[in-house]
Amino acid sequence: MIEISVDIVDDKLAEETATLVRTLVADQVASKITAQDPTLWGPAAESEAAIRLAWVSLHETSRPLLAEIAALRADLHAEGVDRVVLAGMGGSSLAPEVITATAGVPLVVLDTTDPAQVADALAGDLSRTVIVVSSKSGGTVETDSHRRIFEKAFTAQGIDAASRIVVVTDPGSPFEKLAADAGYRKVFLADPNVGGRYSALTAFGLVPSGLAGADIATLLDEAAAAAAVLSKDEDTNAGLVLGAALSVRHSEGAEKVVFANTNTSVKGFPDWVEQLIAESTGKQGTGLLPVATEGIDAPGFADAGDDATTTAIGTPAGPARLSSSGSLGGLFLLWEYATAVAGRLLGIDPFDQPDVEAAKKAARALLDQPPGAGTDEEPSLVDGPVEVYGGTGQNLAEVLRSFVASVPAFGYISVQAYLDRLDDASAALLRPELAKRTDFQTTFGWGPRFLHSTGQYHKGGHQNGAFLQITGAVDEDLEVPDRPYTLGVLQRAQALGDGQVLREHGRPVLRLHLTDRAAGLAHLVKAVQEVDRP
């Protein structure tokens, strides 16, 4: 079994962290977290913490799921069904994506409202497909849309849709009743006392991963081995060390945690830990902003300033101040403990998400408007295949320079691409290009996926972000059965709704709409390359 470890390269940081860890040990923080003591985060957080700490024992309580998942997988394979599609947002999709990528098994993840990306998933062999629909309540608009679309597609091909839909939800949820009434193939109930971002080892993480072929029993074994260490009130407890180190750096002005994978077999971990840290700590005007980069040589990591803590997932390398390494199951639990510890030290409740609902509410308000309403906004500039909304300048490069000038000192840029994660993958080039040319820490998120991840931090964390939204023309839209909107309309409402909320927080928002996605992205990347450092 691979042991978990945390290394602090910076001697000064190591000394300051050790001092703080001794206090945490004296206060028995590790054993109290393990005992699910809700008082650790103060009276205001106690009621929420009391129903959100069951993640500490999932390596034991999730064991009964293993046989159920294995039996369902065998039954499906006997019927020739071996293609797994996952419809889920936030914690319902991020952990399964990391688990299956690390295991090297295929899983089609739908955490998008882009019509082309959903159409691509529909174009697969439906005769071999089962869809896992994961939602704590069932009311998640993206996931509900996916379920409706796939149910119609199965039926259209003469397939019994109910036999191809597997549900993961909380007990007693409206979704549990809907699934029972519809006669869906199987309903897995997750532990209701675990929040979405801590749910990697619940049914939300295990069901789609296990059906796809990942070794989830070993994953729980890895977490069990880590739990034996993380529960101890000792100076060497990696969870205490990591949480304390992040807190020390934050107190010194390093409000950003910049990630890069190094020598590790774990794939895509920064994308999972991004939600855990941002949603847990980004509130009350404070918190830690996670920044996922392309590697230790990437802009933002290799040249990080004093406002960032460079952190390697894997062995220490390059300019990393911190590193954490170990098995995937161990890393899940390590970062959950560390985030809970950091929450205590930052003086916030690491289990609530008070600002997540704002963007959803704004999007719903736009969807409730009559068809065609709110679509008459005029661009301030049209530069080739790019329409500009909210910016100033004679061309796209000037608009971007003005946007960068709006970022406060030690602030950050958030690039938000409401596009197809597969066909429009070149949009991700915008992160390193902007980071290199502006010296600002720059994050990148696919919309609306990031709304269930870093969206909380954008509204509740340090208010020094500037937001670049990228939307694109929809060539072929998809109807959402029995709903008055299409996926394209929903995607647009989510972008505009979030932009509206960010503006209400006084933050700069620039929206660039690509009338031709491929040409627009090429034009945009070229314009970014003309942006100089401030």
Side-chain angles (χ1 to χ4, degrees), residues 147-317:
R147 176 185 63 83
R148 292 170 181 275
I149 289 168
F150 266 79
E151 191 162 19
K152 181 179 179 179
F154 283 132
T155 302
Q157 290 199 13
I159 299 169
D160 176 20
S163 71
R164 299 298 185 86
I165 298 176
V166 173
V167 167
V168 183
T169 190
D170 278 358
S173 72
F175 199 18
E176 181 187 11
K177 183 179 187 306
L178 184 154
D181 292 345
Y184 290 158
R185 179 67 175 258
K186 176 76 173 176
V187 177
F188 288 93
L189 298 178
D191 191 324
N193 292 326
V194 178
R197 56 190 178 272
Y198 292 83
S199 67
L201 301 178
T202 70
F204 287 106
L206 300 181
V207 171
S209 303
L211 291 180
D215 184 353
I216 53 177
T218 295
L219 191 72
L220 293 181
D221 290 342
E222 293 167 351
V229 175
L230 294 169
S231 62
K232 295 180 179 179
D233 296 311
E234 297 178 348
D235 291 353
T236 55
N237 182 321
L240 298 180
V241 171
L242 182 54
L246 295 174
S247 174
V248 168
R249 288 289 295 148
H250 183 272
S251 69
E252 297 171 346
E255 63 199 43
K256 305 168 186 78
V257 186
V258 187
F259 289 96
N261 274 350
T262 56
N263 183 24
T264 177
S265 60
V266 175
K267 308 298 182 185
F269 192 81
D271 289 330
W272 174 81
V273 81
E274 182 180 69
Q275 182 199 23
L276 176 69
I277 295 172
E279 243 182 32
S280 297
T281 70
K283 56 202 72 170
Q284 298 176 27
T286 190
L288 297 163
L289 175 69
V291 181
T293 71
E294 300 75 25
I296 60 172
D297 296 324
F301 196 95
D303 54 355
D306 291 337
D307 63 333
T309 303
T310 46
T311 304
I313 302 299
T315 54

Side-chain angles (χ1 to χ4, degrees), residues 54-65 191 194 201-202 220:
W55 52 267
V56 300
S57 58
L58 289 171
H59 53 281
E60 298 171 347
T61 58
S62 287
R63 295 278 175 184
L65 287 169
D191 191 324
V194 178
L201 301 178
T202 70
L220 293 181

Side-chain angles (χ1 to χ4, degrees), residues 287-505:
L288 297 163
L289 175 69
V291 181
T293 71
E294 300 75 25
I296 60 172
D297 296 324
F301 196 95
D303 54 355
D306 291 337
D307 63 333
T309 303
T310 46
T311 304
I313 302 299
T315 54
R321 289 177 182 265
L322 296 174
S323 70
S324 65
S325 60
S327 62
L328 178 55
L331 285 172
F332 279 145
L333 203 60
L334 166 64
W335 278 93
E336 288 168 347
Y337 265 88
T339 300
V341 169
R344 173 181 167 87
L345 296 172
L346 291 176
I348 52 90
D349 177 357
F351 305 111
D352 69 349
Q353 49 280 334
D355 300 293
V356 166
E357 187 62 27
K360 297 179 185 178
K361 184 177 180 180
R364 286 195 296 268
L366 290 170
L367 288 175
D368 288 341
Q369 293 180 357
T375 61
D376 55 352
E377 182 185 8
E378 292 295 328
S380 57
L381 173 73
V382 177
D383 188 334
V386 180
E387 296 177 346
V388 176
Y389 295 86
T392 58
Q394 298 299 310
N395 55 52
L396 187 54
E398 285 188 13
V399 169
L400 289 168
R401 290 190 194 104
S402 176
F403 170 73
V404 169
S406 71
V407 185
F410 304 109
Y412 67 96
I413 297 172
S414 171
V415 182
Q416 305 170 346
Y418 289 84
L419 300 170
D420 182 334
R421 190 152 62 114
L422 304 178
D423 289 347
D424 302 324
S426 63
L429 294 172
L430 294 169
R431 194 216 72 80
E433 286 293 338
L434 278 167
K436 177 170 62 177
R437 296 173 193 284
T438 69
D439 286 341
F440 287 116
Q441 284 297 337
T442 304
T443 67
F444 180 87
W446 294 102
R449 167 187 172 116
F450 77 87
L451 292 176
H452 300 259
S453 178
T454 52
Q456 165 64 41
Y457 184 97
H458 295 160
K459 290 92 171 176
H462 293 277
Q463 293 301 291
N464 55 7
F467 301 88
L468 177 61
Q469 291 187 332
I470 316 294
T471 57
V474 173
D475 294 329
E476 294 185 31
D477 211 342
L478 273 177
E479 299 286 336
V480 180
D482 300 320
R483 285 292 181 264
Y485 49 80
T486 63
L487 280 186
V489 169
L490 173 57
Q491 184 182 45
R492 180 181 182 278
Q494 290 175 313
L496 297 185
D498 191 48
Q500 173 185 318
V501 174
L502 290 168
R503 289 188 184 93
E504 290 170 355
H505 278 71

